[in-house]
Amino acid sequence: MIPMETSKLIIDYTGMMVSEQNSKGFAKEDLLGLQSKLDEAQTNLHALRDSGKLDFSLLLPEMLAQLPELCAYADEVAAKFENFVVLGIGGSALGPLAVQQALNHYYYNELLPDQRSNRPRFYVLDNIDPVRFKELGQVLDPRKTLYNVISKSGNTSETMAQFLIVRDYLRHFCGESYADHIVVTTDQQKGNLLPIALKEGFKRFVIPSGIGGRFSELTPVGLLAAAICGIDVEQLLAGALEMDRRIRETKGVFANPAQLKSALSYLSWQKGKKISVFMPYVDGLKTMADWYAQLWAESLGKRYDRTGKAVSLGQTPVKALGVTDQHSQVQLYAEGPDDKVITFLTLEEFKDTQGIPVDSALPEDIQFLGGKTLEELLFAEQKATEYALTLAGRQHQKIILSALTPFNIGQLLLLLEWETAYMGELFNINAFDQPGVEEGKNGTYGLMGRAGYEAKKQAIKEFGQERHLLE
């Protein structure tokens, strides 16, 4: 186990608070003024959990108990296959990608087998672009590849289309052993994928019925991929369990991380900050911003509140990467509309550093970099960006991880999930459904000829009769 004092997560919300440089920030009284609403939210969420719901928190111990079977299978297939491919979309893809990039070598797939402990290369097909799909098939030997089909319902058109193509492909190249090349992650009792898996003998792992895709990373959806690629999933869950315990057992906005984060988000929303920028200053956390964007958008972008009142609320998540997007977006953040709250995600220190050579023959405008490190330069640019935003009266905060460890990533995932749950309570909306997505799904079913969706197909056909084109 990694000692907790060396694996920690800090929330630095200085840039959100009123100061000599930033008169627009919040006072402590503003946060304390939300305490009664936060206490009510905590009571509601605990009641939901006690009733057997709130599964992203409730089922963590159960997920821990499943690790021996999951890790044994992961080790078995890692010894047999050279490639591991996830077929999934949304949370089924974004979570595994985020954890893989955070915790394994940035160029993991390019490493020699012994450099990645002889674990398989890792790929995620999270879209249905036919060129990309075909080109991946051209570079992978199907006889040396394991495919993980992830869909709780088995109704996900994109994933099931991928599955049908891959299954046909494997039957052609692998013959009767094709089933050994497919593992499915789906519902335990229902859905279209389950009976296919039972009939054809695919290895199965279960997505708990009460967990939606964007909350599913710490279930077999994400744990299997992480384990196959050699990530310490026990430590990942240990960090999640510790953050979960801290949030459930701690009271008070200045002590409870989820209460603090949600209070800051809610107050910023009340002040007109309709855009939430998530900006890692670590390349390993770049895809964490993609995962966060789905979590925040799909959970909180709702037309109606729980009373049925039309509210059409939610903050729009924007992904950025420091320092890359200092040169593409920060100009807008500092001088454009004051409608954004910015969350930086950074480390106390990097596991490696890179020195910058000294060369006295260079112009003085370049010489100053010599003898420094890329780490120093990155931290300087981050600090300077924070300073510039503060002078401009723009609100920002930081989540600081002591290091990129499985324990810390587990903490981060749970913190953001709990913050989202709290925001649902503060907004009085259901943060765990996604009705706005269903219309598009149903329209796709109709256009692709699924039985029972003929009326939807006709409605879309009539909708598109009048066109405005420039050719």
Side-chain angles (χ1 to χ4, degrees), residues 333-379:
Y333 301 165
E335 296 190 1
D338 189 10
D339 57 357
K340 302 166 192 69
V341 58
I342 301 160
T343 299
F344 299 113
L345 183 58
T346 188
L347 300 177
E348 286 188 338
E349 61 179 341
F350 287 79
K351 66 178 180 180
D352 292 312
T353 190
Q354 175 64 59
I356 303 172
V358 176
D359 187 343
S360 58
L362 292 172
E364 290 186 7
D365 289 348
I366 303 174
Q367 274 192 43
F368 77 95
L369 294 170
K372 307 295 197 310
T373 67
L374 289 183
E375 183 180 14
E376 289 179 281
L377 178 60
L378 185 145
F379 284 143

Side-chain angles (χ1 to χ4, degrees), residues 149-165:
V149 187
I150 306 177
S151 175
K152 185 163 67 173
S153 66
N155 284 335
T156 312
S157 297
E158 302 90 345
T159 303
M160 296 310 292
Q162 292 174 338
F163 162 68
L164 292 173
I165 296 168

Side-chain angles (χ1 to χ4, degrees), residues 375-434:
E375 183 180 14
E376 289 179 281
L377 178 60
L378 185 145
F379 284 143
E381 294 207 29
Q382 176 194 315
K383 189 68 176 177
T385 300
E386 293 174 41
Y387 176 70
L389 290 172
T390 299
L391 290 184
R394 305 303 165 95
Q395 291 187 308
H396 56 89
Q397 58 186 309
K398 280 190 295 189
I399 301 174
I400 308 168
L401 305 181
S402 58
L404 280 184
T405 64
F407 190 94
N408 280 342
I409 294 301
Q411 289 195 93
L412 177 64
L413 293 170
L414 253 288
L415 170 61
L416 296 175
E417 289 179 0
W418 268 110
E419 178 191 4
T420 303
Y422 264 93
M423 284 294 284
E425 295 303 309
L426 294 175
F427 280 151
N428 192 29
I429 60 169
N430 184 352
F432 304 104
D433 66 358
Q434 52 280 336

Side-chain angles (χ1 to χ4, degrees), residues 187-406:
D187 193 90
Q188 187 170 19
Q189 296 180 324
K190 59 182 185 297
N192 290 327
L193 192 52
L194 177 62
I196 299 172
L198 293 173
K199 179 181 178 182
E200 302 190 22
F202 304 144
K203 175 68 177 177
R204 289 184 300 122
F205 287 93
V206 173
I207 305 174
S209 59
I211 292 184
R214 59 192 180 275
F215 289 91
S216 68
E217 172 54 23
L218 295 172
T219 74
V221 168
L223 295 174
L224 178 61
I228 286 176
C229 293
I231 291 169
D232 189 338
V233 289
E234 184 177 358
Q235 277 289 289
L236 191 67
L237 281 176
L241 282 160
E242 173 57 27
M243 180 58 71
D244 184 67
R245 180 202 61 77
R246 182 179 174 189
I247 289 171
R248 287 188 294 106
E249 295 180 4
T250 307
K251 294 185 179 296
V253 67
F254 295 113
N256 186 311
Q259 287 198 7
L260 176 62
K261 286 283 286 128
S262 61
L264 292 168
S265 295
Y266 186 73
L267 288 172
S268 67
W269 175 77
Q270 285 187 319
K271 289 187 69 172
K273 308 299 189 290
K274 305 303 183 185
I275 297 172
S276 175
V277 178
F278 199 77
M279 190 171 185
Y281 263 79
V282 186
D283 274 18
L285 293 170
K286 180 179 180 180
T287 358
M288 192 64 69
D290 294 88
W291 175 81
Y292 161 81
Q294 184 198 6
L295 178 71
W296 204 245
E298 201 165 69
S299 299
L300 303 179
K302 297 294 163 64
R303 181 180 297 179
Y304 303 104
D305 68 12
R306 287 185 176 128
T307 69
K309 178 184 176 182
V311 288
S312 295
L313 52 74
Q315 282 179 319
T316 300
V318 169
K319 302 171 289 183
L321 178 67
V323 299
T324 300
D325 287 312
Q326 286 177 204
H327 297 270
S328 66
Q329 297 185 33
V330 167
Q331 169 65 33
L332 174 68
Y333 301 165
E335 296 190 1
D338 189 10
D339 57 357
K340 302 166 192 69
V341 58
I342 301 160
T343 299
F344 299 113
L345 183 58
T346 188
L347 300 177
E348 286 188 338
E349 61 179 341
F350 287 79
K351 66 178 180 180
D352 292 312
T353 190
Q354 175 64 59
I356 303 172
V358 176
D359 187 343
S360 58
L362 292 172
E364 290 186 7
D365 289 348
I366 303 174
Q367 274 192 43
F368 77 95
L369 294 170
K372 307 295 197 310
T373 67
L374 289 183
E375 183 180 14
E376 289 179 281
L377 178 60
L378 185 145
F379 284 143
E381 294 207 29
Q382 176 194 315
K383 189 68 176 177
T385 300
E386 293 174 41
Y387 176 70
L389 290 172
T390 299
L391 290 184
R394 305 303 165 95
Q395 291 187 308
H396 56 89
Q397 58 186 309
K398 280 190 295 189
I399 301 174
I400 308 168
L401 305 181
S402 58
L404 280 184
T405 64

Side-chain angles (χ1 to χ4, degrees), residues 83-87 121 123-125 136 140 145-148:
N83 313 298
F84 177 68
V85 181
V86 168
L87 305 180
R121 289 184 289 263
Y123 302 90
V124 176
L125 279 171
L136 181 61
L140 300 184
T145 304
L146 177 68
Y147 293 88
N148 183 196

